[in-house]
Amino acid sequence: MSTTLPTRPLDSAAARTVVAPVVPSRARLRPLGLDEVRITGGFWGERQRVNAAHTLSHILDRLESEGWLPNFDRAAAGTLPAGRRGREFSDSEVYKYLEAAAWELGRHDDEELERTFRAVVERVGAAQEIDGYLNTEFGRPGQQPRWSDLEWGHELYCLGHLFQAAVARERTRPGADDGLLLIARRAADLVCEVFGADGIPSFCGHPEIEAALAELARVTGDERYAAQAALFVARRGHDTLADIEWGRRYFQDDVPIRDATALSGHAVRANYLAAGAVDVAVETRDDDLLDALRAQWTRTRGRRTYITGGQGSHHQDEAFGDDWELPSDRAYSETCAGIASVMFSWRLLLSGGESAYADLIERTLFNVVATSPSADGRSFFYANTLHQRVPGVVPDPDATSPRASSSLRAPWFEVSCCPPNVARTLASLDAYIATADDRGIQIHQYAPAEIRTTLDDGRDVSLRVDTAYPSDGTVRVSVDRDADEPWTLSLRVPEWAEGAAIRVWSGGAVVETVSVAPGRADVTRAFRAGDVVELELPMAPRVVDPDPRIDAVRGCVAVERGPEVLALESTDLSGHGDVGEVALDRGSTPTEQDGRVWVDVARRAAHPGDWPYTQAVSGGLGETERVALVPYHDWGNRGPSTMRVWIPTA
Amino acid sequence: MSTTLPTRPLDSAAARTVVAPVVPSRARLRPLGLDEVRITGGFWGERQRVNAAHTLSHILDRLESEGWLPNFDRAAAGTLPAGRRGREFSDSEVYKYLEAAAWELGRHDDEELERTFRAVVERVGAAQEIDGYLNTEFGRPGQQPRWSDLEWGHELYCLGHLFQAAVARERTRPGADDGLLLIARRAADLVCEVFGADGIPSFCGHPEIEAALAELARVTGDERYAAQAALFVARRGHDTLADIEWGRRYFQDDVPIRDATALSGHAVRANYLAAGAVDVAVETRDDDLLDALRAQWTRTRGRRTYITGGQGSHHQDEAFGDDWELPSDRAYSETCAGIASVMFSWRLLLSGGESAYADLIERTLFNVVATSPSADGRSFFYANTLHQRVPGVVPDPDATSPRASSSLRAPWFEVSCCPPNVARTLASLDAYIATADDRGIQIHQYAPAEIRTTLDDGRDVSLRVDTAYPSDGTVRVSVDRDADEPWTLSLRVPEWAEGAAIRVWSGGAVVETVSVAPGRADVTRAFRAGDVVELELPMAPRVVDPDPRIDAVRGCVAVERGPEVLALESTDLSGHGDVGEVALDRGSTPTEQDGRVWVDVARRAAHPGDWPYTQAVSGGLGETERVALVPYHDWGNRGPSTMRVWIPTA
C-alpha cells in the first residue's frame, strides 16, 4: 500500500495552536484539541476525574518523597552527586508529571495546580546549566560525563519528555511566562548542536526524543528540531550502540527502521521510535518510510499483540517475542508499551485515516491503559499479565515495588514510568476522540462528549455525544447547528461490531436506518440542529478463538463484550477455587444478567499420578457451575486472586 | 513418607576410598566408583570419548584465551586487579575443569593430561593467600573487600567447586603430591573460621559450597567441614541476604529449606542447595529435613519439570516458574540445572533407593545433559528450549556468546558454567550407573559396562553389561563369577517401560521369564559364571499427553521412544517448512523405519484475516506428509532450523 498524503500542509500557525499532543503539518485527518473536544463523563470521564483529583497529587508526593524532584534542587545547589536518588531516568518522571499537569490545566482551570506546576518548572529550570544541558545524573564531577553512556544513560530520553511537557504547556497556555518552553528550547538547541550532522553520530538507547523533537518543531516552527529528529531516526539500525546480551535489537539498532518488518526488541522503545518515525516520515514526505511503518504496524498487530492490545511478551528484556510468541502467564504487556502503541497508532490514523488504527487504540485503551490504575488512582499495574496462577501479595502502600514483580497494583515502582505515563494519557485523552477533514468530522472513540470545531470551509460545527458505552452499545450524536450544505459525520464501527446499525433522526423521527459493517460509517447530510445520528453497536458477549499459531492459548477461548476483554477471576468462583482447575463448556452461550456476563465452567478432575506426561490421560470433568466474568481492566481490585483471560474449553 | 536410613555407617576409610563424587556415610545404596564400574562404549561411551579427546582441551584453550586462568597468574604476581578478565565467578570454571580432568585421569592414565592438571593446580595454588583465601575478584586494593557481596560475589560458590575438584583428585589419586587437597583444605579451614558458629552469620547467594563441604568432610574425615555445611543450610531462608527485584526466593532465602514445598527461585541454585541439604540431612541424621527434600523433589518433578527433565522456565531470573508454568518456547532449562537436578536425584537415590530418582536421572541425562554438547564436543547449548520458532544464527566459532541468546550450540559463553559442568559430569558418569547394598547389585542406568565390586559379605562380583540401548531395548547382564549363596541383581524398569520382561539364561538356556512392571526388578540367584539376565524394554514410540494443567502445551502431544524425547525439526519437513504450520494426526500411529520414528503431519491452512482473535476461526488442514522425528538431544546439529517437542494435534 502506497500512501500519498495531502500535499496541502496545515499552516504552521494552526500547527501551533491545536491543543493536542500531536499536530502533524500534513495529515489526512486534522486532530481536534482539548478546546474542541471535551469528554463529559462516562467510563473515561470518571477516570479523568480520578486522575485529576488523586493521581496527579499522588505522583507529586512520590516524586518528592523518593527524592526524584529534590534531585533538581541538589543540582541547582551544586551539591550533586551527593544525595542523588533514583535511577538514571528519574528526571523523566518529573517531566511526565509536568506534561500531565499541563494537559490537565488545559482541561480546566485550577489555581493550586497552576501554582504547583510553576513551582516544579522553577525547580527544574534552576537545575539547567548555562549551555542548556539538563540532567541530574550526568556531567558533574563524580558523575559520568555527559553523553558517555548513550546505551543506558537516558539523557536524551529524559529531554524528550521535557520537550513533550513544554509542548503540552505551550499548546494549553500559549506564551505562558513560566519559562518551560524556553528551558526546553535551550536544551533542544544544545542537542541539535551536539548531535547534529557534524556532531556525535549516535542517538539514545531509549527512543522518545524523536517524536518530542518533531512536536517541538511543530509548536515552535523551528525546523532544526525536526531535522534532528530525522537524523536520529536515520542513524538507527547500523550497529552504532554497543552490543548487549539481548542484541542490538533491544534498542532497535539491529536493522534500519525502514527495513524492519515488525516491531521488535524492547516494546516501549520500539513503539516510541515508531511514533517518532511516523512524525519524521510525515514531515519529510518520506512515503517509503511511512509505508514501511504501516506494514510493521500490521504485522505487529497480527502476530505480536495480545488480545488486550498489550505488547511485549518477555519479562527479561521487556521485549517483543517472535511472531506468535504470546504467553498469557508471562505476558509482560507493560502499561507504557500500551501507551506507546496508542501513540504509534494515533499518528498512523491521522496520516492515513484507516479505522483499524482506531480499533487497536480502543482495544488498548480499554484493556491496557484502563487496567493499570486502581479505582482510586493511587496504585498501578506495571506489567499486565493475562494469567495469574498464584494469588498476589498486597504491596506495602508506603513501599516502592520492583517494576514488574508485583502481582497486584502497587503505588510506586523503582522504575516508575507507568504512573505518570497513565496520567499524561488520561489528561489528554479528549484529543484522541475525534478528528476533522475537509468533508466533516470523524468520531473514533465513544464517550459522552461535546465537540465543537470549525470545518475547513469555515462552518462551525457543534455536536454532543451521549452514550453509556461500553455498558451500553447505543451512541447518540446530536447536531447542535443547522448546516446549509451537506457535511459528513463519520463514525467508527469497531472490528468486532458485526451487525451494527445507524439510525438518523430528524425532526423527532427516524429518517434513515442503515446496517453498517465494521470500518467507517459515513452519514452525509445538510444536518439541522436537533438531528441525531444513533449508532447501535451489538454488545452481546462474544466467544473468541485464537489463531492456531498462538501456541500459548491453544484449546482456549476468550470472552469479549464490546471493546472489553473479560476475565475469569477466582474471586467469582465458588469457594474462590483455582482458575487453573476449570474448563469452559464450548457449547454453552455466555449470557448477561445483573450487568455481568456469565459462562458455564466445569471443574476438571485431578490428573492421576505424579508424572505429568503420560499416555492416555483421563481428562474427566466434574461439576459445572455458572460463573460471572469480570472486565479484564477491573481484575485484581478485590484482593489477591488467580485470573485468566484465556479459558480452556472442555 | 518417613525414611529411616540404615544406622550402620560406612566406615570412614571406605568413604575416603570409593572413587565417586558422592560417598555418604549412611545410605541405603552404596555408590560404586570409577574403579568398580566402567562404561565401555555405546551412547555414553562415545560422549565420554569425545569429552576426553576434545572437550577438555577446548575448555582449557578458552580458559587461557579468555584470561580466566591467567587471572590466577596475575593474582600470584600481585598485579590484580589490573588486567583481570571474566565475570566474578570465572575462577569456578577453572575448578570445574580441574574436577573434570581429575575424574578423567581416574578413568584412564594420560601423561599429558596429568602434566596439564598439575600445571593448572600450581597456577591456582600460587594465587592462594597466606591465610588460605583464594579468589581473583575480591580482597585486593582496588577490589571489593572479601565477603562484602555475599549476594552476588560467588566467593564461596567458587570455593565449593575448588573443593569438589580436590575431592575428585583425592578419590582418583589418593595422596597425590600436586597439593590440590591442601589448597582446598586451607581455603575450607578459612571458611570455617570466617563463617563458623561465631563468624559471619550468612552464606553464599549461589549455593554450591554446601555439598562440596559435605564431601570434603567425607574424603578427609574432618567433621568441621560437615558442620559448616550444616550451618550454611540452616541459615538459609531467614531473609539474611539483601532483597532483590525477584525477591529472596531467587537465592532460596525466602523460606527455610525444611519448610519449602517445592524447589523455587534460580533453578541451578535450588538444585545445588537441595543436593547439599540431602548431604547435611544424611550426615546429621535429620530425617525430617530429608523427608521435606523428598517431598520437594516429588512436587518439583510433578509440576515444575519439562518432559525432557529440564527445569527452570524463566529466562529473566533463570528460575523455576509457578506450578504448571512450563512454556516450551521460553523454556530456559539450563544445562547446569539439569546437571544439578541429577546431583539432587542421585543423593536421594543413594539415601532411599527408590527407582523414581533414577528414572528422572535417565530422562535428564538423555534429554538435557546429552543435548548440550555438539557431536564434536566443542560447542554447547546453555539454555535448552523445547520450541524454536525462528531459525538460529550460527555463532562465530571464535566469539564468546551471551549465555542464552544463542539459538544454536556455541563454543563458549560470557557465563560459561555449562561446558565444564558437562565435562565433569561425563567424566564421572560411570559412577552413576550402579550401586550395591547388602543384598547385591543395582543397575540404574543402561550402558555397555563392566562392573566389579565386593559385596558386603566379602564376595567378589563381576558383571558385564551388553546393550545397544537406547537404539535397542535389550540389556544383557552377564555374570562372570560363580556364587555359592544367592545374591540379588536388581534392574531398574523405567517408568515408561510398560510391558518389560526379564529372561534369565543359565547353561545356555532360558531358565526363567518374567514380566516386570516399572520400578525395580530383582533377580535373586546363586548365580553361575556365564549366567545372563536379559532385560527387554519395549522401545515402540509412545505418544504422550501433557497434564491438562500445563497451559503452554494444551492440545499437543509429544513422541518418546525409550528414554529419548523426540522432536520435529524443520530440517526434516519437505521444503524445510515451518514447524509452526503443521499438526499431527492424532489417529495415526508413529512407526519406525531406517532407525527413525515417523509420524503423519498435516499442513495447516493459513488463518484468514490479520487480527488473530476472532469468532469462528477455520482450522482447516492441508496436505499430509510423513516426517521423521529427531531425538531431541540431536536437534540443531544440521544447521539453523525450527523445532518443536510438543506437536499440536489435528
Side-chain angles (χ1 to χ4, degrees), chain A residues 305 547 551 607 612-613 644, chain B residues 305 545 547 551 607 612-613 644:
Chain A
T305 301
D547 187 296
D551 295 283
H607 183 72
Y613 312 104
R644 62 190 310 154
Chain B
T305 301
D545 291 294
D547 186 296
D551 294 283
H607 183 71
Y613 312 104
R644 63 189 310 154

Side-chain angles (χ1 to χ4, degrees), chain B residues 75-86:
Chain B
T79 62
L80 285 181
R84 189 186 183 284
R85 293 174 62 197

